Amino acid sequence: YRSALSQSQTQDRIIRDATRPHGDREQARRLRREAEAQLELLTQAESIAQSDFYSYRYFASEGFLPGYNFPRLPLSAYIPGRRIRNSRDEFLSRPRFLAISEFGPRAIVYHEGSRYVINKAILPVRDNDQDITTYSIKQCPECGYLHPLPADGGPDTCNFCETHLEPAMHQLFRLQNVATKRRDSINSDEEERFRLGYQIRTGIRFAALGGGQASFRTATLMKEGAPLAFITYGHAANIWRINLGWKRRAKDTPPGFVLDLERGYWAKNPHASEEDPEDPMTARTQRVIPFVQDRRNCLLIQMAENIPPESSASIQAALKNAIQVRYQLEDMELAAEPLPDRDHRRRILLFEAAEGGAGVLRRLLDEPRAFAEVAREALSLCHFDPETGDDRRRHPGAREDCEAACYDCLMSYANQLDHELLDRQSIRALLMDMSAATVVASPVGVPRAVHLEALKRLAGSELERRWLDYLEEHNYRLPDRAQFFVEDCNTRPDFYYSEYRVAVYIDGPPHDYPERQQRDQALDVAMEDNGYHVIRFHHTAEWDDIIARNPNIFGRNS
């Protein structure tokens, strides 16, 4: 009902704006055509299933349903039809993370032999005297973690790494559909498009559990007892892509772009050679910072020791390419970004760009030797022998030797901005160490050893502590909670895997009595009726057999 009412209000506003009298006949004609295009964007969907507020699409974004069946809607750009060709109006669609730059303010797009400029943002529904909805955030200068600001001002230190936060960023505007205006035919002026560009910043915020606690898992890449890297995995994390403004803007220019609050026009780019007159801007303008956001499975990698920017950019490219080869992914299914930005490479962000996720980043934590196998693949891609580290100099079939980087190892179209930094020789020793390392994972946000000690302190018997030691000895997955109370069933399992809703009971000798066994069976039925899965470890049973029957819960022995 709310969606239908909102759509009706939008149609009324568009029709009212398009039909009011205008002094300029040509301007009135153009406004009417744009209004018809906006109405088509609203009415071309036959059902609410084409809306971003579709229930199944929301469940997919939260990880309850496969996302590839219910993908997030892309951003669309309205392309007006041309009279000389008697063509119809069209719409170009791009994924959100690509549209923040390709459909950015005053950006140039090419379509069927003509050049168009993004001159207008289609504004969301609002009352005539109400300003557009904007947001405020703080971003950690150390790790790039985002903190949306509530009314009370928000935190002063990062919730992820506890670093002191910089001043807040205000007036963030969620970019949605846009409109274009034809400029001229395509020419050879590609230097102008390359020279102009945007400063794009990426930020991340992990999904929240009950009580506002962030949901993520941590692991340490260990070699002979020494840490090589610290890894953090977040399922369906919220990733923001923020357009801070033109790359060539003056240092004293604030971030963002000037937006007409009434008609949605973007102010002219002062650094571009636009020959056409400026679009009519009203007196009500505001400087805003466009952004888009989406949920993606992601992996954060922080090296145990600081490495130079050349090595950081090279290891980022090597790991991305190796994961794609190892797990047979397309180049567009996995993305890599430095955090907090390209000038300060303190962490590497890998996220699954494909709809629904490919499920490969999680394997790097679940399988102790998976990261080492990726490192061996990276050595081979960088023309090194994975066993000895000897330099093979070139890719099989290549005609020339590779000195620093080539398109067979580290270079690609996506990392052109890093080509000057890439050097395969600078990461050979690091990749060799990684190829011999093991991932020690924790189910929560603290190191595995610290979490194990906390579980032992909560254990109710020596048998439960022996069970924890058994998991640790064989490198199985630890539970994330102990003595978790299930109110609906009035029971307190010994351990609990919240991600899988699995309750674990460690049954000692008192559970051998028939009366107690009947109570346990009734409790198991009640737990399963409430959506929980129960696994019992009897003190006389073969624990290895029980774990082998549940590899999705406990992992596999390495």
Side-chain angles (χ1 to χ4, degrees):
Y1 169 76
R2 292 180 178 177
S3 177
L5 178 61
S6 175
Q7 180 171 330
S8 175
Q9 292 174 347
T10 304
Q11 295 179 12
D12 293 342
R13 178 181 62 81
I14 293 173
I15 295 174
R16 183 174 62 254
D17 293 343
T19 55
R20 65 185 180 185
H22 295 275
D24 188 348
R25 181 175 300 178
E26 183 64 28
Q27 178 183 352
R29 186 181 297 111
R30 188 177 75 250
L31 289 176
R32 181 178 295 276
R33 291 175 62 194
E34 291 182 358
E36 293 173 352
Q38 294 182 39
L39 286 176
E40 183 174 347
L41 275 175
L42 292 172
T43 58
Q44 64 182 348
E46 296 180 356
S47 66
I48 193 64
Q50 299 301 318
S51 168
D52 242 351
F53 302 99
Y54 185 37
S55 301
Y56 290 142
R57 182 169 289 115
Y58 169 76
F59 290 141
S61 68
E62 295 292 333
F64 293 103
L65 294 173
Y68 52 81
N69 283 340
F70 307 97
R72 302 292 293 272
L73 293 182
L75 268 63
S76 297
Y78 161 62
I79 304 293
R82 300 180 60 181
R83 295 182 185 176
I84 59 175
R85 299 180 181 176
N86 197 23
S87 60
R88 299 181 58 186
D89 299 335
E90 297 183 65
F91 301 93
L92 293 180
S93 297
R94 294 292 183 270
R96 300 183 180 199
F97 289 169
L98 180 61
I100 188 62
S101 57
E102 189 163 339
F103 291 166
R106 314 303 296 191
I108 300 296
V109 295
Y110 299 103
H111 182 67
E112 293 186 353
S114 297
R115 185 166 59 171
Y116 298 85
V117 62
I118 306 294
N119 69 327
K120 186 176 183 180
I122 298 179
L123 301 179
V125 180
R126 69 193 195 284
D127 296 332
N128 291 332
D129 57 347
Q130 184 180 4
D131 291 337
I132 60 175
T133 301
T134 58
Y135 305 85
S136 299
I137 65 168
K138 286 184 178 181
Q139 186 173 17
C140 177
E142 179 68 25
C143 65
Y145 199 72
L146 286 177
H147 304 77
L149 297 185
D152 58 1
D156 293 327
T157 58
C158 177
N159 294 337
F160 184 67
C161 68
E162 299 183 356
T163 301
H164 182 73
L165 296 176
E166 294 180 344
M169 188 185 307
H170 302 286
Q171 305 299 337
L172 269 75
F173 167 69
R174 189 192 304 273
L175 186 65
Q176 299 181 12
N177 296 321
V178 298
T180 67
K181 181 179 181 180
R182 183 174 178 269
R183 278 290 181 254
D184 50 28
S185 299
I186 297 176
N187 53 31
S188 59
D189 191 18
E190 283 301 311
E191 296 86 3
E192 180 73 8
R193 187 180 186 187
F194 183 77
R195 181 176 65 87
L196 299 173
Y198 303 108
Q199 180 185 356
I200 306 295
R201 178 180 295 179
T202 302
I204 181 176
R205 184 171 183 82
F206 294 115
L209 296 172
Q213 183 182 2
S215 172
F216 59 90
R217 296 170 54 195
T218 60
T220 305
L221 189 63
M222 305 286 293
K223 180 190 176 184
E224 298 177 356
L228 294 178
F230 304 103
I231 307 172
T232 306
Y233 172 79
H235 180 73
N238 198 354
I239 298 180
W240 291 42
R241 296 272 287 171
I242 306 171
N243 192 334
L244 296 177
W246 306 105
K247 287 183 179 178
R248 293 172 55 87
R249 71 180 188 273
K251 294 183 178 180
D252 57 345
T253 303
F257 307 85
V258 177
L259 177 66
D260 186 332
L261 298 182
E262 293 186 4
R263 300 183 181 178
Y265 288 115
W266 293 110
K268 182 179 178 181
N269 174 17
H271 304 290
S273 56
E274 299 185 41
E275 299 178 357
D276 290 350
E278 182 64 41
D279 291 310
M281 301 280 289
T282 65
R284 295 187 61 211
T285 61
Q286 180 178 337
R287 181 172 288 274
V288 297
I289 304 175
F291 78 96
V292 293
Q293 62 176 338
D294 208 344
R295 293 188 179 275
R296 294 286 187 265
N297 300 334
C298 68
L299 195 74
L300 282 176
I301 302 176
Q302 180 188 10
M303 300 302 165
E305 298 181 0
N306 293 330
I307 58 178
E310 295 79 6
S311 300
S312 179
S314 300
I315 197 69
Q316 171 183 311
L319 292 178
K320 177 182 182 297
N321 294 341
I323 292 173
Q324 291 173 179
V325 173
R326 176 68 182 173
Y327 297 107
Q328 301 179 1
L329 300 180
E330 297 292 338
D331 186 64
M332 299 301 294
E333 292 185 88
L334 187 68
E337 294 278 348
L339 288 181
D341 52 51
R342 294 185 180 276
D343 297 329
H344 306 88
R345 298 174 176 271
R346 298 187 177 93
R347 284 172 172 81
I348 298 172
L349 170 64
L350 298 171
F351 62 90
E352 298 172 358
E355 288 292 347
V360 300
L361 296 180
R362 179 173 180 171
R363 296 182 61 178
L364 298 181
L365 268 75
D366 291 344
E367 302 174 11
R369 292 291 300 170
F371 207 102
E373 295 171 357
V374 169
R376 289 174 59 86
E377 191 67 49
L379 283 168
S380 180
L381 289 175
C382 292
H383 319 313
F384 298 119
D385 189 317
E387 299 294 338
T388 64
D390 294 339
D391 193 352
R392 296 172 175 171
R393 302 294 298 168
R394 68 177 69 178
H395 183 74
R399 297 182 179 181
E400 298 179 354
D401 290 344
C402 173
E403 295 298 333
C406 66
Y407 279 93
D408 289 322
C409 58
L410 300 179
M411 299 171 67
S412 68
Y413 175 80
N415 64 4
Q416 288 187 75
L417 298 178
D418 296 339
H419 281 187
E420 295 182 356
L421 298 175
L422 299 180
D423 183 6
R424 65 186 183 90
Q425 300 288 351
S426 65
I427 59 174
R428 174 167 58 176
L430 180 57
L431 288 176
M432 288 296 295
D433 290 339
M434 288 182 173
S435 66
T438 303
V439 172
V440 181
S442 172
V444 292
V446 298
R448 182 182 177 98
V450 177
H451 181 59
L452 178 61
E453 290 300 321
L455 292 176
K456 286 185 175 181
R457 287 195 298 269
L458 294 174
S461 65
E462 186 61 31
L463 182 63
E464 295 176 15
R465 283 185 282 271
R466 276 201 296 132
W467 183 79
L468 291 172
D469 290 335
Y470 179 82
L471 296 184
E472 177 66 15
E473 179 183 356
H474 294 81
N475 201 23
Y476 288 124
R477 192 176 300 146
L478 295 176
D480 52 351
R481 305 182 70 173
Q483 305 301 322
F484 172 69
F485 182 68
V486 181
E487 185 175 0
D488 294 338
C489 301
N490 195 26
T491 181
R492 193 181 298 273
D494 299 322
F495 302 101
Y496 184 64
Y497 291 83
S498 58
E499 183 178 1
Y500 306 96
R501 292 179 64 88
V502 171
V504 175
Y505 292 89
I506 313 299
D507 294 341
H511 292 264
D512 294 339
Y513 295 100
E515 297 82 3
R516 186 61 180 269
Q517 292 179 356
Q518 293 179 0
R519 288 163 46 192
D520 291 342
Q521 292 176 0
L523 179 60
D524 293 351
V525 172
M527 289 284 286
E528 292 178 356
D529 289 343
N530 283 272
Y532 296 92
H533 179 59
V534 177
I535 300 178
R536 291 187 176 271
F537 288 81
H538 195 268
H539 66 101
T540 61
E542 292 292 337
W543 289 354
D544 223 8
D545 294 340
I546 301 175
I547 290 178
R549 293 195 297 268
N550 300 275
N552 60 318
I553 307 299
F554 303 101
R556 301 181 187 275
N557 193 3
S558 60

